[in-house]
Amino acid sequence: MSHLVEHKPLKHRFIEWLGRFYPMAKRLLYHFHGGVFPKYHKSLSNRYPLVEDFIPELLTLPLQQHLGVATEPLVSVGDRVLKYQRIADTDKGLSAPIHAPTSGTVIAIEPRILPHPSGLPGLCILLEPDGRDEAQALTLPETPTSPQSLKTLVHEAGIVGLGGAGFPTFAKIPDQRGCIDHLIINGAECEPFITCDDQLMKQRPEAIWRGAELVAQALGIPRVLCGIEDNKTEAIKTMTQAADGLPAAAQTHTDFQVRPVATVYPMGGQEQLTQELIDLEIPSDKHAIEVGVLMMNVATLAAIADAADEGKPLISRYVTVSGMGLNAPFNAHALLGTSFKALAEKADPKTPLTYPLIKGGPMMGISMHSNEVPVIKTTNCVLANPPEDVEPAMPCIRCGECMDACPIQLLPQQLYWHSRSHEYDKVKDLKVFDCIECGCCSFVCPSHIPLVQYYRHAKSEIVRIEKEEEAAELAKQRHEFRLARLEKAEKAKKARLKAKKDAVKKQAAQTTRQSGDASAAAAKAAAAAKKAAAAKSPQTDQTTDSSAPKTAREKAIEAAKARAQKAAKKADDSPTDNPAAPEDRAQVKPADKRKAAMEAAQKRAQAQKNASADSASDKAARPAATETESKRDKRQAAMAAAQKAARKRQQSSDNASENTDQSSRVDSKIPAASPKDKRQAAMAAAKKRALKAQQKAQAQKDTQAPSPDTED
Amino acid sequence: MSLPYSSPYIHNASSVRRTMLQVQIAAFPALLAHIYFFGFGITIQWALAVVAWLVVETLLLKLRHRPVKPFISDMSGLITVTGIVFCIPPESPWWVVVSAVIFALVFGKHLYGGLGYNPFNPAMLGYAFVLISFPAEVTQWTLPAGISGHHLSLWESAQIIFTGQFPPGLVHLTGATPLNELQTALVNGASAAETWAGSRFNDPNLINGWFWVNVAFLIGGIWMLYSRAIRWQYPVGFLSALALMAALFHAIDPDTYAPVSFHLFSGGVMLAAFFIITDPVSSSTTPMGRLFYAIGIGVLVYVIRNWGSFPDGIAFAVLLMNLFVPLLDQYTQPRVMGHKGR
Amino acid sequence: MIEALLVFLVLALFFGMLLGYAKIKFKVEGNPVADQIDSILPQTQCGQCGFPGCRPYAEALAEGNSEVNLCVPGGHEVMIQISEITHREPKEMDASNPPPEEPMVAVIDEDICIGCVHCIKACPVDAIVGTTKMMHTVIEKECTGCELCVPVCPVDCIDMVPLMKTPQTWHWPEPNANSLENRS
Ligand code: SF4
Ligand code: SF4
């Protein structure tokens, strides 16, 4: 495949030649817009042999080394763990398990500063290696043949995208076979200084291809393209050779190709490499897999191969240790959890490492708040560039360099302008979320404006504002819901009260008008059996009806009922009795209930009760005052009539039989007294009130009057 | 000594100062040509302008409580004064250039917030100011040595500039430019071809100073294109629009309208194409916007030259197009990758 | 003369109709001012403005019977926005009652809580769960930080604490170092 490098089309070579005089001509060599040509300094770390088997004194393993949710430790402090042992995992969502990189003891699980731009601490497992490097027996998984089995394999091995963002790889793999047309192997490695992928391609090309083969087989991918920047001639050669060495069976189904691409930053971006290799723009609202493209970093594929063929989970990775501040930069096959400082110290720093090390390359890397931070799954480079004088940021001169350099063809200058004046809706309209934060714009800006940081800030600010708006909306909804709920409760309460009063009023009305029928109808459900037994006396039915709700009262009433029945038997029929008795009962019932309610409300604030009761009775009393008189008159008349009737009945009963019971005699002597008696019994049961019947009757007359009124 | 807060941590080492100095260097061939044809007047004007710039800018920065050193050393003021110096006649009185510089810096730049915030091209604003205020002084050009028959010495130039007194016997040193003549002719209803044919400038044995100064600007401009100090859209859009207009009208009526070559190499066309309209601050930022901006200026220049009352309309054309910049920026945004349409 | 008059008459008619059409076409429903104000209020429902919630304050502002500077959690920014919407003079915020520096949430000390349900009744957004005699707790996600539950607790077991900062909730700061432009 080296012929590809040597025999490029004439136009290509002409542009390259032109590029020597006019560097920007090189922009014609590739398909995407913009791009920059920084000094690469790749030979720094490429010339030293790979450092392997370096076991530091302490491994710091953050519980979150990927996008998604953090894992939970499966070990506790003091545990001895073996190499490859799974030490943290979670099933709470998108995540990848973490395995012990070597054998040793867990000495702590505590927050440590993370390799994150915030410099905030996060929970880490601190593992003290014992130097023996004892490994757990590995179980060979089955070769994945379906997307599902590949997903399981990748997840179990804790593999995440090793190129940068650290998106758990299993989540990237589609669920069905055949929906991916292109697997793109990202070997572009466009960042200056970094050579770890280059090293990997030179040293383990078979593993990369094996990984690609596995993925292609499992997903039924017809075409695998490996994009390598043409400044890595050796890697292109080894990879091409290794591709020829792939088994013929695999080659029949899938087309494996190495494609040298122009050396330009940011060739290694997903969108850029896709556009370069298959001339496809990934729509900004879609994921790459939705348009049939799956991109994997060379290191990810090698890790998949290791997991599939040897059962090894991801415990180490290639890391470039480089920078202007180091005498002997190198590439290392470093265990996850190795601290940056330990690696940088090994590279013989020119000056003490008092300045912050950078995780990643100089274009997109992040400077660390502590040099003790560990290498995690996504760390591809530890960069020690001593700080130089930074030029102060000048005002933007609208030169448009940034726009010419932007690979996404955004308008960085306008983005900056609006970000700076906090017009975030405009920033969003200018598609800030399509910005890949590649840093090209800042790199070329003659005014040295930290453009990318403005966009990062704007992005997080927009997200924050949106979240806040969401929270405000939620709060608003919840508040409104609460108001509605309170109102509903209030209404329900009122409705209940009203219903009660209605019932009372209705009964009162019924008793005054046509007592017998109505009360009988009302009673039917409550005491059907007893009704049958006491069919002859409607009075008793009514009493049972009223007594139904309360058991204590019921008993008392039962006794009263029995007496009444006896009395009734004796006094066979007395229709005139009816008007008096139900009325009396009706008076009893609300009185009782109110008492009970008052009892129940004893714990309630006294003042409140007083206030409301007063106002209620006042209100009720005033409009009702005029009518009370007439009602009372009516009632008195009715009572008088009843008493007359009772007296008649008494006489008749006396005549009928001599051997009357004591009780029945009392009852029949004064018929009006019989309900009074009942009432007393009920009252005794319900909190033993020692009030006299007359007093009550009077009180009832007063308080009962309003209820029909309020309804009107 | 500190790392930038966030990536990128490296830079391509460009800076505002560098860009401005590139522009300044590119103006040198034209300066030499100017001296050769018109004498040393321009160096005196230039020195005057630079002094005025330093004083005015320092004062304004102090007044605005801004650090003086970085904003003087960005050299953007130097470009402004250079633009003005090339526009005004080399032997005009000293107060012309000084007031132009003051006006440009005060009203064209610092009142709007200094570097990067001026909506109008400061050099053109300053020039337009003196053009309107002192039309007599600004339209009388020193005639090329070949016509006046005298090459002014530095001393003579200084005398004229500071005292306004011409050395005895040298009264006819200044006069109308070819463009002025054409304008006058057009206004009087004479045909361009005839005027040009009868003009004292149209002598094959004579070296037309304006032509060669323009060529020198072209050379400097090409170098700036190469070093990416300016964008190709400006000269290409401007010159092609002007050439197209000239060609069109010359084809329609060769009698009335001057040929393309005359338009392209007279007045301040090349100066404008490479040094004036390329001022990024007051022009559009999008590639398409820049092209439209430049085309608009080209068309306006032709229109003003032929139908306006000023001999050369570059200043007004530029200022007019400056007004359209926000609109152009808004409607010429490029398609963002991964999005359909704009 | 007469032509000119006619022309202007026609023009006047035309623009009058245009305006009328625009009024029908772009009619705004509801009480836009109150809605607008409500949408910029922080919806903390804290009642520090003296109204029972954000919406009533917005309505009062829309009717012009309230001051523009009463929203404490919204701070200066919201005040400015309100005065812009209502076209009224901005008024300085009450300096003695500054908005919290960072978002706060209420946290109930679960060992002390006696389950009195007072705080549940006070919470404007039902962000507290618990029942009588049982320990209560605050749903952090829903707490608006209004502090209304703090004073009603009889055993003082509610504290306002700043939201925990994690790498996930961290925001890139705005760059300002090295800038020569201090915007005034
Ligand atoms: S950082 Fe964003 S705006 Fe800047 S060049 Fe890269 S993609 Fe474009
Ligand atoms: S490169 Fe810098 S100075 Fe030039 S337009 Fe972009 S932000 Fe402005």
Side-chain angles (χ1 to χ4, degrees), chain A residues 19-141:
Chain A
R20 271 192 252 159
F21 306 102
Y22 182 58
M24 288 304 136
K26 285 192 272 181
R27 282 193 175 154
L28 298 172
L29 285 173
Y30 49 93
H31 295 114
F32 59 87
H33 180 261
V36 294
F37 309 97
K39 291 201 185 82
Y40 282 98
H41 302 291
K42 297 231 183 202
S43 56
L44 281 183
S45 51
N46 237 349
R47 61 191 172 197
Y48 287 84
L50 194 69
V51 172
E52 298 214 52
D53 306 323
F54 169 52
I55 300 181
E57 276 150 32
L58 181 73
L59 293 174
T60 313
L61 297 154
L63 289 177
Q64 182 157 23
Q65 309 196 3
H66 46 77
L67 285 182
V69 295
T71 56
E72 288 152 11
L74 303 174
V75 291
S76 38
V77 179
D79 284 2
R80 184 178 142 76
V81 295
L82 294 174
K83 188 176 182 176
Y84 303 131
Q85 185 181 333
R86 181 183 299 212
I87 52 173
D89 199 359
T90 186
D91 50 9
K92 289 213 181 105
L94 193 61
S95 83
I98 292 161
H99 302 82
T102 182
S103 62
T105 321
V106 176
I107 55 165
I109 299 176
E110 59 184 32
R112 285 292 163 102
I113 290 182
L114 296 176
H116 184 270
S118 65
L120 289 170
L123 218 51
C124 297
I125 297 177
L126 300 191
L127 181 65
E128 192 173 59
D130 53 14
R132 278 181 274 173
D133 207 18
E134 278 176 81
Q136 203 179 35
L138 292 172
T139 45
L140 264 189

Side-chain angles (χ1 to χ4, degrees), chain C residues 64-140:
Chain C
N65 346 324
S66 183
E67 293 297 341
V68 293
N69 63 345
L70 298 181
C71 183
V72 174
H76 188 78
E77 227 166 276
V78 165
M79 184 273 292
I80 294 291
Q81 281 173 301
I82 291 175
S83 38
E84 262 165 27
I85 293 174
T86 55
H87 306 293
R88 285 163 68 186
E89 275 299 298
K91 244 176 127 181
E92 259 327 296
M93 298 299 296
D94 182 3
S96 62
N97 193 2
E101 296 279 292
E102 44 191 342
M104 307 282 265
V105 284
V107 170
I108 294 179
D109 187 332
E110 300 177 346
D111 296 334
I112 307 179
C113 173
I114 51 167
C116 68
V117 304
H118 280 20
C119 56
I120 292 189
K121 287 202 194 112
C123 179
V125 291
D126 288 343
I128 303 179
V129 287
T131 178
T132 326
K133 300 265 171 69
M134 304 294 260
M135 181 267 293
H136 294 6
T137 192
V138 177
I139 309 171
E140 187 189 287

Side-chain angles (χ1 to χ4, degrees), chain A residues 172-174 179-185 219 221 223 225 270-271 273-275 277-283 286-296:
Chain A
K172 209 167 147 179
I173 297 171
C179 61
I180 300 290
D181 306 322
H182 291 92
L183 170 65
I184 296 180
I185 307 178
L219 300 178
I221 301 173
R223 208 145 172 245
L225 299 174
Q270 170 162 290
E271 289 86 353
L273 195 59
T274 308
Q275 198 177 8
L277 288 180
I278 57 174
D279 205 10
L280 179 86
E281 256 183 50
I282 302 169
K286 285 209 175 105
H287 291 298
I289 58 163
E290 290 176 77
V291 288
V293 176
L294 180 64
M295 184 177 289
M296 286 193 180

